[in-house]
Amino acid sequence: RCCFVQFLEPDWEDKPPTRAEPDGGSDILALTKDLHLPVSVPKAPSSPREEFPADWSIKTRILFMSSQPFTWTEHLKAQEEAQGFAQHCRATETALPPSVEEPRLSRELRCAFQQSLVYWLHPSLPWLPLFPRIGADRKIAGKACPWAQDEALQQVLKSEWSVSFTSLYNLLRARLCPYFYVCSSQFTVLFRAAGLAGSETLTAAIAPTTRGFREALRSEGKGWATQPFTALSSAPGIEFSLPLAEESRARKQKISEENVEREVADGLGEGSGVEAADEPAASDDDEESFSWLEEMGVQDKGKKPDAVSIQLRREKQEVQLDHRPESLALVGGSDTLTLLNLLINWRSLVAMAGPQAGLPPTLLSPVAFRGGTMHT
């Protein structure tokens, strides 16, 4: 099952963006004090740099450890379960009592527990595991998929999915939904509202990506779309960044510079060391690119790379990012709207063959949306 952490309070739309993410230490201290748990709580960090970043990846399992038993979470009464669902649907802020001596007798606590377990899913097909979608062909193989060979049914599924997807984006833009996920068989997209993760605008993180998909972002998916579902944007392309790749590149460059400085410093006492430092040495990347080009028959030994060779080298470096964590693409601002249009109209978003053929991506949200089904 998927576990979501509500990073924002239910009434967060009335608060400034700077208060969107909770302070790490104070909430933990307050919760421990309220529940009277004999747990040693670490001192709250004095500097923001010492705080742990939010983990936005989706988990399939979660483990809680406590010195007190969790028997109070079992066998909820029907009224408590119904009250928890009602509080979730109404986005009611839970008011726990100042002290809880016996959790099993605290109706407020048990209702709040039920309220925190709810998430929303589309499409909802009980006989199919809809998360994770990447690498799920083996789990889905052999399951009943009546739409696999029925194009009319596939079109209905895609149309309903498009309505749900657009509904979620509108909720996000209206500050009524903090975040949601789009899980396809190729990649996962995390849409976050303004004010989260240090961004003042909407953001969308896509991972993993391929060179072909990144080119589609730059050209706004020309040639990839069918008849437009809706004219949402006419921008020439989608601007995005590769923050993890840039961070990795900067880190490698820093290490390389430190190594050069160390070698130069060590060579000051040797006569040949200074002369060698003054001469430009062939980089490892150049040697690797030359050997790769030689295997393709493009680069001859002893010749400097021409424009074609340089272009091939750049393309090789970009392809090496494919399917790696560094391939994460970050889209922000109004470009998220263009991304929505691209995903809705992109043929390859839905698998054409295999066990997942014709099955739209999975939408996961902590709040209700059109076409969403409640799950716990």
Side-chain angles (χ1 to χ4, degrees):
R1 292 188 178 92
C2 305
C3 178
F4 290 95
V5 179
Q6 186 73 16
F7 291 100
L8 304 181
E9 298 176 3
D11 59 343
W12 74 290
E13 61 271 14
D14 297 329
K15 300 180 180 181
T18 54
R19 296 181 59 186
E21 288 186 306
D23 181 80
S26 59
D27 291 347
I28 296 176
L29 289 171
L31 181 60
T32 306
K33 182 178 179 181
D34 290 344
L35 299 182
H36 288 267
L37 298 180
V39 181
S40 59
V41 180
K43 183 179 179 181
S46 57
S47 172
R49 295 182 180 180
E50 298 177 5
E51 295 179 1
F52 291 105
D55 185 356
W56 291 98
S57 59
I58 316 177
K59 305 296 188 291
T60 55
R61 290 183 297 176
I62 185 169
L63 174 67
F64 293 94
M65 301 181 66
S66 171
S67 59
Q68 300 296 321
F70 290 109
T71 54
W72 61 272
T73 65
E74 302 173 356
H75 308 296
L76 297 179
K77 298 179 180 179
Q79 191 172 5
E80 293 172 341
E81 180 178 305
Q83 183 66 26
F85 286 141
Q87 290 176 181
H88 172 85
C89 294
R90 297 169 184 169
T92 304
E93 184 174 2
T94 305
L96 295 177
S99 61
V100 180
E101 296 181 359
E102 181 53 58
R104 287 179 296 180
L105 302 179
S106 175
R107 177 181 175 183
E108 295 85 356
L109 181 63
R110 289 159 65 91
C111 291
F113 176 72
Q114 179 64 49
Q115 178 183 357
S116 65
L117 297 180
V118 179
Y119 69 96
W120 297 79
L121 171 76
H122 180 88
S124 181
L125 305 170
W127 67 94
L128 285 183
L130 295 177
F131 179 84
R133 293 292 294 275
I134 299 177
D137 289 354
R138 183 179 300 178
K139 295 181 179 180
I140 298 180
K143 305 289 184 179
C145 300
W147 55 84
Q149 305 298 330
D150 191 335
E151 294 185 3
L153 184 54
Q154 291 182 15
Q155 187 62 31
V156 172
L157 290 175
K158 183 64 181 298
S159 178
E160 290 296 314
W161 177 85
S162 301
V163 171
S164 296
F165 187 15
T166 305
S167 170
L168 268 175
Y169 184 85
N170 291 335
L171 288 168
L172 192 77
R173 188 169 53 177
R175 302 175 64 84
L176 297 174
C177 175
Y179 59 88
F180 68 90
Y181 295 85
V182 181
C183 308
S184 74
S185 58
Q186 306 172 45
F187 52 77
T188 300
V189 188
L190 165 63
F191 284 86
R192 294 181 293 196
L196 282 181
S199 175
E200 297 180 356
T201 62
L202 276 69
T203 57
I206 315 163
T209 63
T210 61
R211 179 193 171 208
F213 183 77
R214 294 190 293 270
E215 289 296 332
L217 292 178
R218 296 186 181 100
S219 60
E220 198 191 2
K222 293 180 179 179
W224 295 41
T226 58
Q227 295 297 326
F229 176 80
T230 177
L232 294 177
S233 175
S234 59
I238 300 176
E239 294 185 3
F240 66 92
S241 61
L242 303 174
L244 299 184
E246 295 169 0
E247 180 181 335
S248 176
R249 189 181 302 110
R251 183 168 58 250
K252 291 180 180 179
Q253 183 177 359
K254 182 179 180 181
I255 294 175
S256 177
E257 292 175 353
E258 292 177 353
N259 291 338
V260 171
E261 292 177 357
R262 189 180 300 109
E263 292 176 0
V264 172
D266 294 342
L268 290 179
E270 303 176 3
S272 59
V274 177
E275 296 177 358
D278 294 335
E279 296 179 2
S283 64
D284 296 338
D285 292 340
D286 290 337
E287 294 177 358
E288 293 178 359
S289 62
F290 291 162
S291 62
W292 175 69
L293 293 171
E294 289 172 7
E295 294 175 359
M296 295 184 61
V298 175
Q299 175 65 33
D300 296 331
K301 293 183 179 180
K303 292 184 179 181
K304 294 182 179 181
D306 53 13
V308 176
S309 302
I310 295 175
Q311 179 65 21
L312 290 173
R313 175 186 172 186
R314 291 176 179 174
E315 291 180 358
K316 177 198 175 186
Q317 292 175 347
E318 186 167 353
V319 169
Q320 286 177 337
L321 288 176
D322 291 0
H323 305 292
R324 297 175 59 87
E326 292 81 5
S327 68
L328 180 142
L330 185 64
V331 180
S334 60
D335 284 323
T336 58
L337 189 62
T338 314
L339 176 64
L340 170 72
N341 193 29
L342 171 63
L343 294 178
I344 286 177
N345 295 291
W346 184 30
R347 292 177 179 175
S348 301
L349 185 66
V350 179
M352 295 298 204
Q356 300 190 53
L359 183 62
T362 301
L363 302 175
L364 294 171
S365 167
V367 301
F369 60 95
R370 287 189 61 180
T373 305
M374 177 188 291
H375 288 262
T376 57

